[in-house]
């Protein structure tokens, strides 16, 4: 990237940013970065005579902010570093797709993507906590069951001994004391049994509540479709199954066209109804061989079991065409919204070692569809 300088300024803005970054971040700044493609490689990298990867990374961070006219803020610096270093692969992939489709990386877009990433991270932590709790509950149930069985057996033995001691002549004082101690131990054992039985019942109730919470956490409440996490689980499972059987498996990434315009002109209530309408149109194809989920915002993902990418594209095109023929009206204002369309990218999952890479490829095809005029489905190359 070339920067013009005047007689009153001897240093380029990127150099000033570079120096500022050096002093502000210090040695904690990462020592290495990943080459993420030509979108984020600038001519200023050629000035790095020393070949220090830190200088290369700092140049990329600075040029990324300046080339995209982004403010030099702490949030933007963090996001730029995540993109240029590859420390956040998902964010870097979205930025790559954005650049390749010739769409600008604006402050609004960056804020929305980074915000979504934070929500995803919190959601993952929540689900990890539930996984750990479920594991602990299962271990507790096994331990309690074993202890209860042992306690019950021990109690039965004590009861038999207590009965035998009672039948002995009461002449021996020691025998009488042993009989009393045995009865006391028997009572305590029975109380322990009751407590363990109560704990087992409570644990079973907690497991049921946990299962309900897990189901609730994997459901998108606006559309009643599975959410992103639930879909990722289905994708991983179906991908493994397809690799074993050789059955075709295709994935589609969809996004409602001009959705922001609907929200801006008609309000978020109308926007929510549009999302539900698209979700309903897509979910009509769902079943054992087609899984539909809301990925977030106005984005949806679909998994076609037993269909090639070409066949999945044809099926999704049919949904898109039927939806585009409908005319929507704002229920509250009676103002016409017009037709609602969506764009999508379709990919063959089997062609990727990691199904998440297939999802990223479908996302890239989606951005190409947006750049090509929207209201179309494209196959990932």
């Amino acid at each position: 990237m070339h920067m013009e300088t005047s007689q009153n300024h001897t240093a380029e803005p990127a150099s000033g940013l570079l120096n500022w970054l050096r002093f502000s971040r210090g040695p904690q700044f990462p020592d290495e970065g990943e080459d993420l493609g030509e979108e984020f490689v600038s001519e200023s990298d050629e000035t790095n005579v020393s070949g220090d990867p830190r200088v290369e990374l700092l140049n990329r961070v600075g040029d990324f902010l300046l080339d995209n006219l982004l403010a030099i803020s702490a949030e933007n610096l963090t996001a730029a570093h995540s993109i240029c270093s590859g420390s956040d692969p998902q964010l870097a992939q979205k930025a790559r797709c954005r650049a390749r489709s010739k769409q600008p990386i604006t402050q609004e877009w960056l804020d929305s993507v980074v915000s979504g990433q934070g929500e995803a991270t919190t959601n993952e932590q929540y689900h990890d906590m539930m996984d750990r709790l479920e594991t602990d509950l299962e271990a507790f149930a096994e331990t309690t069951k074993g202890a209860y069985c042992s306690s019950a057996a021990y109690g039965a033995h004590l009861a038999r001994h207590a009965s035998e001691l009672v039948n002995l002549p009461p002449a021996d004082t020691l025998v009488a004391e042993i009989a009393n101690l045995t009865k006391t131990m028997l009572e305590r054992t029975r109380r322990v049994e009751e407590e363990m039985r109560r704990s087992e019942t409570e644990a079973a109730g907690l497991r049921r509540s946990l299962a309900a919470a897990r189901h609730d956490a994997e459901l998108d409440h606006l559309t009643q479709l599975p959410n992103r996490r639930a879909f990722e689980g289905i994708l991983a499972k179906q991908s493994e199954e397809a690799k074993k059987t050789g059955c075709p498996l295709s994935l589609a990434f969809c996004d409602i066209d001009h959705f922001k315009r609907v929200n801006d002109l008609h309000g978020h209530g109308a926007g929510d109804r549009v999302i539900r309408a698209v979700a309903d149109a897509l979910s009509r194809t769902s079943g054992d061989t087609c899984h539909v989920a809301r990925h977030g915002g106005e984005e949806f993902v679909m998994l076609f079991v037993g269909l090639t990418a070409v066949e999945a594209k044809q099926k999704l095109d049919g949904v898109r065409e039927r939806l585009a023929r409908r005319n929507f009206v704002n229920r509250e204002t009676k103002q016409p919204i017009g037709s609602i369309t969506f764009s999508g990218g379709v990919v063959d999952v089997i062609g990727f070692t990691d199904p998440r890479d297939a999802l990223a490829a479908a996302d890239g095809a989606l951005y190409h569809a947006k750049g090509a005029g929207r209201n179309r489905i494209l196959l990932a190359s």
Side-chain angles (χ1 to χ4, degrees):
M1 178 185 70
H2 296 291
M3 302 293 294
E4 295 182 358
T5 58
S6 66
Q7 294 179 352
N8 295 329
H9 297 82
T10 59
E12 294 182 352
S15 300
L17 175 64
L18 184 60
N19 291 330
W20 183 86
L21 282 169
R22 283 197 186 103
F23 285 106
S24 63
R25 295 302 296 267
Q28 292 78 21
F29 204 78
D31 290 337
E32 57 185 7
E34 176 185 352
D35 187 356
L36 298 179
E38 62 181 2
E39 294 90 352
F40 307 121
V41 178
S42 67
E43 295 178 8
S44 62
D45 293 335
E46 298 174 1
T47 63
N48 179 21
V49 180
S50 66
D52 190 335
R54 294 175 299 177
V55 177
E56 293 180 5
L57 180 56
L58 287 169
N59 280 330
R60 289 182 185 180
V61 169
D63 290 337
F64 176 84
L65 295 175
L66 294 172
D67 289 346
N68 293 291
L69 304 178
L70 298 170
I72 303 175
S73 63
E75 293 79 8
N76 285 350
L77 284 167
T78 301
H81 172 261
S82 298
I83 291 171
C84 296
S85 69
S87 60
D88 189 332
Q90 188 175 10
L91 180 59
Q93 176 65 25
K94 286 185 177 293
R96 279 201 299 270
C97 293
R98 186 86 174 176
R100 286 171 183 163
S101 62
K102 307 302 181 184
Q103 295 187 78
I105 296 179
T106 62
Q107 188 68 58
E108 181 182 10
W109 178 85
L110 188 61
D111 289 344
S112 65
V113 172
V114 171
S115 175
Q117 296 284 102
E119 292 172 1
T121 301
T122 302
N123 193 39
E124 285 300 317
Q125 293 174 343
Y126 172 69
H127 283 283
D128 287 342
M129 180 192 68
M130 287 204 300
D131 289 341
R132 292 195 301 272
L133 178 57
E134 186 174 35
T135 300
D136 291 342
L137 279 173
E138 291 175 355
F140 174 77
E142 286 296 319
T143 302
T144 303
K145 183 178 180 180
Y148 177 77
C149 291
S150 298
S151 178
Y154 178 63
H157 284 298
L158 281 177
R160 185 173 67 253
H161 292 317
S163 177
E164 293 172 351
L165 288 170
V166 168
N167 293 328
L168 290 176
D172 195 332
T173 304
L174 181 59
V175 171
E177 290 180 359
I178 293 175
N180 290 331
L181 286 173
T182 303
K183 290 180 181 178
T184 302
M185 290 176 63
L186 180 60
E187 291 174 0
R188 290 177 179 175
T189 301
R190 286 173 176 169
R191 284 200 297 269
V192 169
E193 287 180 40
E194 184 61 32
E195 286 295 326
M196 283 192 292
R197 187 184 296 111
R198 187 180 299 111
S199 296
E200 191 175 13
T201 301
E202 291 173 352
L206 185 55
R207 286 199 302 274
R208 288 192 296 270
S209 298
L210 183 61
R214 184 184 295 279
H215 176 268
D216 191 59
E218 293 186 346
L219 184 72
D220 176 65
H221 295 284
L222 177 62
T223 63
Q224 297 302 300
L225 290 176
N227 61 16
R228 176 177 178 173
R229 176 182 171 86
F231 181 82
E232 288 177 351
I234 295 171
L235 174 59
K237 181 180 178 180
Q238 291 294 340
S239 179
E240 286 296 320
E241 187 67 23
K243 288 176 182 177
K244 293 177 182 177
T245 63
C247 178
L249 184 66
S250 301
L251 184 148
F253 208 127
C254 307
D255 183 273
I256 302 174
D257 296 327
H258 301 296
F259 180 73
K260 185 176 183 300
R261 183 187 303 171
V262 175
N263 271 342
D264 291 345
L265 294 178
H266 301 281
H268 290 281
D272 286 347
R273 287 192 290 274
V274 166
I275 289 176
R276 284 196 293 267
V278 175
D280 180 64
L282 294 174
S283 63
R284 289 180 184 180
T285 65
S286 66
D288 294 337
T289 59
C290 181
H291 304 277
V292 184
R294 186 183 180 195
H295 197 258
E298 64 271 25
E299 295 178 332
F300 297 87
V301 280
M302 303 178 71
L303 192 64
F304 300 90
V305 180
L307 295 184
T308 65
V310 173
E311 292 169 337
K313 177 183 178 301
Q314 292 173 346
K315 192 167 187 176
L316 189 56
D317 258 328
V319 178
R320 179 189 57 79
E321 290 170 359
R322 288 191 294 272
L323 180 68
R325 289 194 291 266
R326 296 171 58 184
N327 284 310
F328 290 80
V329 176
N330 189 334
R331 293 178 183 174
E332 297 175 357
T333 65
K334 307 303 179 184
Q335 294 295 317
I337 296 176
S339 64
I340 296 297
T341 63
F342 65 85
S343 302
V346 181
V347 67
D348 177 11
V349 179
I350 306 301
F352 296 84
T353 304
D354 190 335
R356 290 175 295 184
D357 293 335
L359 188 62
D363 189 21
L366 163 63
Y367 278 109
H368 281 297
K370 291 281 190 180
R374 295 181 172 84
N375 190 23
R376 65 196 66 210
I377 311 297
L378 295 182
L379 290 172
S381 57

